[in-house]
Amino acid sequence: MGRRARGRRLQQQQQQQRPTRAEGSAEGGGKRQEAGWEGGYPEIVKENKLFEHYYQELKIVPEGEWDQFMEALREPLPATLRITGYKSHAKEILHCLKNKYFKELEDLEVDGQKVEVPQPLSWYPEELAWHTNLSRKILRKSPQLEKFHQFLVSETESGNISRQEAVSMIPPLLLNAHPHHKILDMCAAPGSKTTQLIEMLHADMNVPFPEGFVIANDVDNKRCYLLVHQAKRLSSPCIMVVNHDASSIPRLQIDVNGRKEILFYDRILCDVPCSGDGTMRKNIDVWKKWTTLNSLQLHGLQLRIATRGAEQLVEGGRMVYSTCSLNPIEDEAVIASLLEKSEGALELADVSSELPGLKWMPGITHWKVMTKDGQWFTEWEDVPHSRHTQIRPTMFPPKDPEKLQAMHLERCLRILPHHQNTGGFFVAVLVKKSSMPWNKRPPKLQGEPVEPREPVRSSPAHPTGGAAADPAEPERKPVSGMDDTDVTERPENVESSRSKKDGVCGPPPSKKMKLFGFKEDPFVFIPEDDPLFPPIQKFYALDPSFPKMNLLTRTTEGKKRQLYMVSKELRNVLVNNSERMKVINTGIKVWCRNNSGEEFDCAFRLAQEGIYTLYPFINSRIITVSIEDVKILLTQENPFFRKLSNETYSQAKDLAKGSIVLKYEPDPTKPDTLQCPIVLCGWRGKASIRTFVPKNERLHYLRMMGLEVLAEKKKEGTVLAQEGAGSSGPPEDEVSAEHGAEPAASTDTRAHAASGPSDPAPAEAALSR
């Protein structure tokens, strides 16, 4: 029996068993009710005497608050959500939430518990983050909350909101990133913080290609694909997902005016792997598994990752170190050790005024180390030789009082669960003042000179002050013993990269870099003289400023089925580092080949995923539509021209068949209508127009226009429309034209399938069955 057949049989068995369980004895249901938010598993006793003994001894909780602290840890974590801030319709979503969904939660009781109306997080800007006393389990299971839950799921898939833990939102905010910043997210999966960083890059929606970018890394190959899925929701050409061990992430090069220079990052997020005892409210396994051994084993890795990040930070840059652990061995001990080895190159920033409304405890300056069997040590000299492999000198606070005071460890932030009904968390913000001491001497290159310098800043708010640039960092090994992977190109690598086919950035062939997981297809930039491009340029009347050199595909042979786009800065990184990096995914899909494209003037149709990036460069085939037209186009499968407004018909009648842009501009004189612009990909057929929009995005726009009822009819198997729902397929005179517009049956590489859905289904598939 094949794997799929086994899966189907198992599914059928489960479905057959479900009614029996549901209709069976009340005892079974009672047990599930008692298990509460754990989801039906035997309830885990939320007790751990060693945990209590350890943290009481370290005094991280203010006196008199211990019982509140423990009580909060035993409560389920409230659900929190964040509205994607850079989207032009963030205000519309906020308005919809406050005036529709939150109002429906007033005076509601679920399982005997009164539902509190969600409240904005006081410290998150512009009311874009909210929390409620509802746990995830109640949200999923309660019939009264089904509509709200559907909204959350659909809007999350569309990238308009993120269901993210409150404390997890803090590090990106403290990173203080701007659109021109080059950002490295060292341990990025599953990606909620990465999406926040992408939002910051796109703070100005009128700029399709910000100067900055995010390189999001994770050591786990499978989790990298989860990261890709998260990032793709935001449809940015400025994100690249790579797969490396963060503690030895390679140093990259970029081309600056014809010279190879080391890439230093303006901002680095260092959210390291940790023991996670701050997550006890949602990961209840931590209660029984918690031991001090976890922290002792992770400390070294955390320090190596933080050191590696500090090496790659530009002078004047900011790095945020964070953990979801309350343990000083993973928190202050790592920061103190990093500051000590930096010899003044790094300092802790005072961020106490940056998030007004956030309650936090200052970092501690004295702590002890405890073994898993409860033995305490106050200084390294007390540790017996037999324990030296488990306990390291970097785990203890500095002995010199002056040195300790100069570190200002009190500038670290520790968030305790009972202060604002959150998880536990630790954050430290570091600023780089000069090169790390082991990087003072610039490396010598055989062949061609490399004189790295700081990236030129485009913002006057971050002047360089004429300081000497950070030299190319290690040719020698850093003090920590980490080896720097291929800092500079050796002569043979230089030659091999020159002889490579121009614009092809394949996976790294170097034997030194072990490849795990899927073997990715190459990233191939479209050559300047590729005959594929002129018909596209002519058909859409692309502006001369369109950066065609940033178009890429994922195949070196055969027909190019999908065209992707990256910013010129990411192109620079890709072209110059194909032998150093294992790139999982980058670029945003902007065009897809039609199956019968040769029948039309252009073989490529527009992809909704990249339309907001592409739209500023398109000067032809744009139809301006009214709000009523948008409703018809999103609820009917192939509306004939006669169903649309006269203005829309007059624009469409003289256009050749093929891909079009449908643009809605809000009318400020009608404040009750949708007040954010919408750009949709469509297809102009013989006598009708259809849209190519993913289902969740379609439902999102309809919701913003007050047509929530459409989403509720899905279960009944009816078309999700109030008017014109009778049509179950394209009109006869549209069939041939629409076949040309169908999305490709398969993507050009497996990599794309793994990194997210290919194209949206046609309108009828998206809205009916």
Side-chain angles (χ1 to χ4, degrees), residues 546-658:
F546 178 76
K548 65 179 179 181
M549 65 186 296
N550 300 345
L551 282 174
L552 62 87
T553 183
R554 297 296 301 274
T555 178
T556 50
E557 298 171 359
K559 272 190 176 181
K560 299 174 177 68
R561 291 206 160 275
Q562 325 275 354
L563 296 184
Y564 300 83
M565 197 152 196
V566 292
S567 64
K568 68 174 184 181
E569 288 78 12
L570 271 189
R571 182 189 195 279
N572 193 345
V573 173
L574 263 174
V575 168
N576 287 292
N577 298 281
S578 63
E579 307 217 349
R580 291 184 182 81
M581 291 190 305
K582 185 183 177 190
V583 180
I584 298 297
N585 196 279
T586 191
I588 178 175
K589 188 192 298 177
V590 286
W591 279 292
C592 310
R593 184 181 288 276
N594 298 319
N595 282 351
S596 309
E598 287 72 15
E599 298 173 21
F600 310 102
D601 294 333
C602 178
F604 284 87
R605 67 173 179 81
L606 298 162
Q608 182 68 27
E609 182 183 316
I611 192 60
Y612 284 95
T613 299
L614 209 52
Y615 176 73
F617 301 101
I618 297 175
N619 293 312
S620 175
R621 305 193 63 77
I622 298 172
I623 297 177
T624 305
V625 292
S626 68
I627 191 77
E628 292 305 318
D629 288 332
V630 175
K631 289 178 184 176
I632 291 167
L633 287 162
L634 291 179
T635 55
Q636 298 185 33
E637 292 151 6
N638 272 305
F640 285 105
F641 292 152
R642 65 175 179 268
K643 292 190 177 181
L644 303 171
S645 66
N646 291 334
E647 292 81 359
T648 298
Y649 173 67
S650 64
Q651 296 172 74
K653 65 178 181 177
D654 297 327
L655 283 179
K657 286 192 294 183

Side-chain angles (χ1 to χ4, degrees), residues 344-358:
L346 298 172
E347 73 172 36
L348 274 170
D350 182 357
V351 293
S352 55
S353 60
E354 291 192 18
L355 293 179
L358 178 67

Side-chain angles (χ1 to χ4, degrees), residues 63 94 98 121 130 170 438 559 744:
E63 206 161 325
L94 181 58
K98 288 165 79 169
L121 294 176
W130 294 71
I170 297 169
W438 55 89
K559 272 190 176 181

Side-chain angles (χ1 to χ4, degrees), residues 386-436:
S386 59
R387 299 271 190 181
H388 280 191
T389 53
Q390 187 185 92
I391 298 174
R392 306 300 302 147
T394 51
M395 296 176 182
F396 295 88
K399 293 174 73 174
D400 185 340
E402 285 185 17
K403 191 183 281 186
L404 185 61
Q405 190 176 358
M407 286 181 178
H408 293 293
L409 290 178
E410 73 280 356
R411 290 178 178 173
C412 299
L413 281 62
R414 181 176 274 103
I415 290 94
L416 298 178
H418 64 293
H419 283 164
Q420 279 177 303
N421 196 14
T422 63
F425 212 70
F426 175 87
V427 192
V429 182
L430 296 146
V431 175
K432 189 170 183 178
K433 296 297 182 183
S434 62
S435 300
M436 300 299 273

Side-chain angles (χ1 to χ4, degrees), residues 246-300:
S247 65
S248 57
I249 191 166
R251 181 165 271 82
L252 305 182
Q253 289 183 352
I254 50 174
D255 189 284
V256 180
N257 300 323
R259 305 188 328 167
K260 291 281 182 73
E261 298 192 356
I262 302 296
L263 170 60
F264 291 107
Y265 300 95
D266 302 292
R267 297 287 186 268
I268 294 180
L269 181 56
C270 190
D271 186 55
V272 295
C274 65
S275 61
D277 57 22
T279 68
M280 283 178 154
R281 299 183 69 174
K282 63 174 183 178
N283 298 328
I284 53 173
D285 277 356
V286 178
W287 281 98
K288 61 179 182 183
K289 291 179 179 176
W290 188 90
T291 165
T292 55
L293 185 61
N294 296 340
S295 298
L296 299 177
Q297 289 174 336
L298 284 164
H299 170 88

